[in-house]
Amino acid sequence: MMWRCRRWTGPQEEKQLEASVDAIISRVADLKSSLAAFILKLENEFERMNWPSVLDNFALVSGQLNTLNKLLKNDKTPLLRNQVIIPLLLSPDRDDELMKLTEGRVPVFSHEVVPDHLRTKPDPEVEEQEKQLSTEAARLAPDVAQKHIQALNKMCGNLLDKLNNAREERESESGALRQNKQTFNPADTNALLAAIGFGKGLSKPIRPPQGGPVSSGQSVPVPGLQGGPSMAQVSIQSGTNPQGMQGQVPPQQGQPGKMPSTIKTNIKSASMHPYQR
């Protein structure tokens, strides 16, 4: 090993310290595995996770943290702050045993990583900020500090009240909308059922006139609206077209192989408007 722990105790205390360290390592390993499994679920199974399962994972982690704190506060556990760890050898070479102990996080034990891993105090910048905050807090009078505390508590209480009221209003509005909002129109539903079941409101299909082909000179009425007169009639003539008729289509000359047109259309004005009833 490239470091050792100096113990100013006897053999019995050393065994107790080793047993306590082993128990702490075991509890930390369980906590680490639980956190790793929870993070894995959050990253890969977040679509299938529900809130109760998240609460179960939080409860498991919280219970393991409480167990670790109880172990550290136990009377049989020696104070680890009284133990001093001294590095014996620093090397820039790769150490496989160190890699195994740290699970690949620390490949070498050099002068670059020792200050970070064996530090028992925060960084100098953090210590300076803590000193400044402590100095400013010491300058305040007790009554002034109490006023600041009360003002902060009042502000936090007002904020919590507003958040709770907004949540209650949102829940009440959403509940009222779910109860009163209709997702369909009853009139449209009844009309659709009547049309499907009884054919109500559907127009009758237009059928061609029965009785064979149309004879020469017979008028074929063009269907219009129900209850109204026809707007036009088509008259079919045979032979040559009579003279003096409106709408006559003269035969085209100079085009052999084509029959002259014998269909003319007589437009008759209706006595009343088709849309009037």
Side-chain angles (χ1 to χ4, degrees), residues 121-140:
K121 293 184 178 180
D123 294 337
E125 294 82 3
V126 177
E127 287 185 348
E128 186 66 24
Q129 292 179 0
E130 288 183 354
K131 288 181 181 179
Q132 292 179 0
L133 294 175
S134 299
T135 304
E136 292 178 0
R139 292 176 182 175
L140 293 176

Side-chain angles (χ1 to χ4, degrees), residues 38-51 53-54:
F38 185 36
I39 293 173
L40 183 63
K41 290 181 180 179
L42 290 177
E43 291 179 351
N44 300 325
E45 302 179 3
F46 62 92
E47 295 181 353
R48 298 189 298 270
M49 289 189 66
N50 50 15
W51 185 241
S53 62
V54 174

